[in-house]
Amino acid sequence: MHTLQPKVASSIYINSRSVFLRTDLKEGRYVIIPATFEAGHVAEFLLRQFTDVPSDFQELTLDEPPHTCWSGVCGYPQLVSQVHVISASGLKNHGSEEGVDPYVIIKCEGEKIRSPVVKNTTSPEFDVKALFYRKKPGQPVWNHNLITDEFLGQVTLAGDPNELHPLHIIHLQDRSNKRTNDLPGTLQVQLLTSSILTNI
């Protein structure tokens, strides 16, 4: 939430007591940022959100995970990583005349995020992001499975905070993770990692 993210929708910027915006958004996580018409003014806002599907709408009040009595026992996050799965290409078409219906699962330290299914393609545009607070920096940040009814491949990245090139184009591998076992298809992923938990 601390780095600049692309704007997906905006209301008309007018000096009015009430502002209304109606927009269609794909499934995902979004931040609504209210603002006064003139810069520098402090004000309270009333936000009402209406959706046609349930949403976990909540106020963001913390910049990082809270310290609790369990932090000493279970550990406190040492790194934060943002995984952005952009797209895939050249996926194996298992005998079908049409494309496959792939989706991705992004995993890290027991947590996982699943993308929506992209229908009938071997070159899907996923554009799905996941944010993970990591307690075990030595473990890979994520393990990605590309799945339809059967396994299409996976990749694993280390998520090193000193990495200078965040954008990766990687060949899919089978479950053994050996370079000699590359499967058809590549994945385009952006991976950002920092030891400062409010950097991403």
Side-chain angles (χ1 to χ4, degrees):
M1 304 305 175
H2 296 269
T3 57
L4 186 63
Q5 301 292 332
K7 181 172 68 174
V8 294
S10 180
S11 62
I12 298 171
Y13 215 65
I14 58 172
N15 190 6
S16 174
R17 181 176 174 87
S18 177
V19 177
F20 178 79
L21 169 69
R22 182 184 181 110
T23 185
D24 290 321
L25 299 171
K26 69 177 187 175
E27 183 180 349
R29 297 178 74 185
Y30 298 92
V31 178
I32 300 172
I33 303 174
T36 54
F37 185 71
E38 295 180 19
H41 287 201
V42 177
E44 291 186 353
F45 293 87
L46 171 65
L47 289 174
R48 289 191 176 117
Q49 179 199 34
F50 301 93
T51 61
D52 56 355
V53 295
S55 69
D56 188 18
F57 186 60
Q58 57 187 307
E59 181 183 5
L60 292 176
T61 56
L62 299 174
D63 288 327
E64 57 188 43
H67 287 274
T68 67
C69 58
W70 291 103
S71 296
V73 177
C74 301
Y76 188 76
Q78 299 175 37
L79 298 175
V80 59
S81 292
Q82 182 190 68
V83 182
H84 180 194
V85 180
I86 300 167
S87 62
S89 62
L91 300 180
K92 184 176 180 181
N93 193 342
H94 294 280
S96 171
E97 293 180 7
E98 301 175 348
V100 292
D101 297 338
Y103 61 88
V104 295
I105 298 174
I106 308 169
K107 297 180 183 178
C108 182
E109 295 185 15
E111 293 186 46
K112 66 180 179 179
I113 301 291
R114 180 186 159 175
S115 76
V117 174
V118 182
K119 294 284 188 183
N120 192 26
T121 181
T122 56
S123 298
E125 297 287 330
F126 290 114
D127 191 23
V128 62
K129 290 183 181 177
L131 190 71
F132 299 104
Y133 291 100
R134 301 165 53 200
K135 298 178 183 177
K136 304 169 185 173
Q139 292 188 2
V141 64
W142 67 286
N143 185 354
H144 157 91
N145 293 311
L146 196 61
I147 303 170
T148 56
D149 290 336
E150 54 189 292
F151 177 80
L152 293 179
Q154 70 179 24
V155 297
T156 303
L157 293 175
D160 184 353
N162 299 316
E163 190 170 20
L164 299 177
H165 304 288
L167 187 64
H168 303 272
I169 298 176
I170 313 156
H171 278 279
L172 294 175
Q173 299 171 348
D174 69 15
R175 289 184 175 92
S176 67
N177 273 335
K178 295 178 180 175
R179 283 270 180 211
T180 55
N181 294 331
D182 282 353
L183 296 173
T186 59
L187 192 70
Q188 186 175 9
V189 181
Q190 185 174 31
L191 176 60
L192 302 171
T193 297
S194 176
S195 57
I196 302 171
L197 299 183
T198 57
N199 263 11
I200 296 179

